[in-house]
Structure formats: C-alpha cells, structure tokens
Amino acid sequence: YPLFDSPRPNFWNNQELTLRFDQEIELSGRRGLRTQSAEAGVSVAEAGFQDVRRRLEFSVRSAYFAVVLAKADLEAARGALDEIDKVIGLNRARYQQGEISGGELRRIQVERLKFVDDVFAAVLALRNGRGALLSLLNATNLGVEFDVTETLSPGDRLAGTGGPVAPPPPALDPVSLRSQALAARPDLLAAQREVQRVDTETALQRALRTPNITVGGGYRRDFGSNAVVFGVTVPLPVASRNQGGLARVAAERRLAGNAAIAIATGVLLDVQQAVNAVEINRSRVQYIEREYLTNARESRDIILAAYRLGTADLIDFLDAQRAFRDTARTYNRALYEERISTFALAAAIGAPSNQP
C-alpha cells in the first residue's frame, strides 16, 4: 500500500491536558481568630499611644509650671532688689547729711550683690524653663521669649502679694482614686489587652493542630478521553501537632499575665504616692501661709520702717530682708510642688486631659 494513503494521526487526540483548581478550607475558626488577634493588637497599640500621651501631658504641665515658678521667683528677687536700692538711696542721702558713716553705706552696697545674684539666677532658671517647655512642644527655636498667664496657686496667693488665701480643697478619697486608676490607666489597659491578645493567639495555635482540608476540581483529557475531576485532600497530622506554637504562646501568656500584675501593683503605688504628695504639699502650703508668710512680710515692713526712722540698725534690716526672701522662695516652691503633685495624681489615675 502507498505510504501516504494511510490516515494521518490526530495530534490533539494523542496529547494529555489537565486543568485543576484547588481551594483550601480553614477549619476550627482560624480566620476569625486571626482577625480577633489582629484587632487585639491594634487595641494594645491604641492603649500604648494613650499612655505615651498621658506621660507627655504630665511632662508639659510640669515644664509649664516650672516656668511659672521661675517667673514668681524672679518677681520676688526683683522686689527684694528694689527694696535694697531704695534703702541704698536713702542711706546715700543720709551719708551726705552726715547721719551715717561711709562704712554703713558700703556695707549695704556690698550686700546688694547677693540680691542681684538672686535676680541673675532667677533669669537663668526662667530662660532654661522656657527652653525645656519649647522642646517638649517640638519648637525649632528654643530661645523664644514668652510669658505665662497662670499663677502658682488659685486665689492670688503668690508670696508677698498679701492677696486672699483660697479655701482648702476637699479631702481625697484614696479608695475611689485607686478604683479609677485600675479602670482607666492606659498602661494597665494595654497590659490587660495584651493578655487578651495572647489568649486569642493561644486559641489560634490550638486550632492549627487540626490541618485544613483542600477541595479541588478540574478538567482532564488523556489520549482522547475527557473527564471532569473532583478531589479532597486531607493531611494527616502524624508527626506535628503544633507543639512549638503552643509552647510559645504559653510562655507569652505567663509573661503577659505577670506584666499585667506588676503594672497593676505599680499603678496602686503611683496613686498612693501621689495622694501622699498632694496631702503633704497642701498641709505644707497652709502651714507656711499660717505661720510664716504674713509674719515674715510684716516683720520686714516693720524693720524697714524703723530703719528709715533711724530706730533700727542695718543688720536688723538685712536679716529681716533675707528672712522674707527665703520665706518667699520656700513658699513659691511649696506652691509649685503642690500643683505638680496634683498633676501627678491626675496622671496616676489616668484622668482625662481636661481635668486638673
């Protein structure tokens, strides 16, 4: 027979073709557990952000009132220097009239240096305080001069003003403050949410012990025969039951639980120390106001008047002026520490930023 009379082979019928599509099906709620774990992680990050904000707000408030304190000290130092200058002017006139010796005039002129040095120190503290506050506000120029409008204490109780004294604030309730702190402190909330996240991660690792199944299907052509193929793949967890993952989350759970307990203890300590500071500083301010502030100011005024009349000597005047200066400094510091302790208490309980 001729070779070319035989039928030609069909190329398509002699080829093998397989098209297959597989889909893995997650079991034991893994998809939902992963979503819950991610949401818990976001919640932890949000609480951490709030804790950073809480700390920053306390730092800004403290830096602001450090500027207020420096301004009050500068005003007191300048006031004392003005009094010394007035007395020097008086003594210069008395010296020219022959009422006092040149030695007494030189003595008070030398003493003036101490009061001038107080002004320089107060100016330095004011500039440094402004720079520290501007740095917390992320300012580029830390040498900008600005004024503050707050005073160290409500009721115009700055040292030497003689203004009205504000009534004492209400007593603190440590039990209520501790409860508020345990419910609102963001660092404690972050630790508690981390425990919840690890618990969710533990459930996810347990779910991973059960392998997923894979279903698939497709089309197959094999040497002229056509077929639709379906299949299910079920892995057998013979050697691995996710022991490593379970051990890891168990360790993370212990770590997170211990951290939450430690932070809760620290929160209670912060509240107690803040309450102690507020109570002691309030008592300190009231004691200085009651026992020393008015007496020191009146004593200085009386000695100054007597010195101008010539019935008191220079040493008595300088002693009274130094005593009032030291009392004013102590009082300003007490007012500052009272205000800072109030801010520390607000930070310790996690109070909102709009609360004092």
Side-chain angles (χ1 to χ4, degrees), residues 273-302:
Q273 290 179 339
V275 169
N276 295 340
V278 170
E279 292 177 345
I280 295 300
N281 287 324
R282 285 177 177 177
S283 299
R284 179 188 179 194
V285 168
Q286 294 169 8
Y287 178 77
I288 295 174
E289 289 173 347
R290 183 178 63 251
E291 301 292 337
Y292 289 97
L293 185 62
T294 302
N295 293 338
R297 182 175 59 250
E298 291 178 351
S299 175
R300 181 203 59 178
D301 294 342
I302 292 172

